[in-house]
Amino acid sequence: MRTSRPLALVAAAGLVVLAGCAQEPTPLVVRTGGVDRAPVEKISPEEDARQRAKGVVTGYFASADGIFDNPSADPGGATLEAVAEGSAKTVASTRANRLILAERAQTGRTEISDLTITSLDLTFDDSKKITVWPTVRLSGCIDRSALKTVDASGAPVKDPALRSVRATFSVRNTSWPSRDGWRLSWFKESKTRC
């Protein structure tokens, strides 16, 4: 019995060392049943990234719409912290400040449709000067047909920024391997209408 105990300790230590070296998160467990039934579905890191990236893109536009509805309440875009970083956050802050200066607001909600994953790379590399973060690229339609820009009296004002166009989006996770670090980093609108 004494010979099996050291072997068990060595095997357990090996598992702890291997578990500490993992670069990608373990599959997320989602309960799909009720209290009496508990089937479990495991979601791969790739599927989790796809779902979160789509949620981040739609969440960004919902948050931005809230800011534009009352731009003076959050001109710096603090409500975007959970879904945006970099140039995506700057775009919303700039629009909010322009609305404030013009004494205008935007009403309605942006719809994101036809959102498709175009690439997914969960590579994380911080060994060089520039860190490579896990990134999901998407394409889709920014539908602004329900939006209106209004002046201080509530009268509609023509706003060329409210075009419905196709766009590409880049969502990255700068908190990897945390699943909660996905943020819209940038998006580029095309001239193609949708």
Side-chain angles (χ1 to χ4, degrees), residues 49-120:
R50 285 182 192 95
Q51 290 176 13
R52 289 180 186 259
K54 286 181 175 184
V56 161
V57 171
T58 56
Y60 169 83
F61 286 95
S63 295
D65 286 341
I67 292 169
F68 302 154
D69 190 40
N70 185 6
S72 299
D74 187 10
T79 57
L80 292 171
E81 293 291 330
V83 291
E85 65 173 16
S87 67
K89 188 174 176 202
T90 302
V91 165
S93 297
T94 301
R95 171 118 174 106
N97 287 316
R98 286 184 179 154
L99 289 168
I100 291 168
L101 289 172
E103 296 182 357
R104 294 180 178 168
Q106 176 184 298
T107 62
R109 294 290 170 247
T110 304
E111 294 294 325
I112 303 299
S113 61
D114 194 27
L115 198 55
T116 307
I117 306 293
T118 58
S119 72
L120 180 134

Side-chain angles (χ1 to χ4, degrees), residues 22-25 173 175-180:
Q23 281 293 329
E24 73 179 44
N173 186 337
S175 298
W176 190 259
S178 168
R179 295 175 184 273
D180 298 324

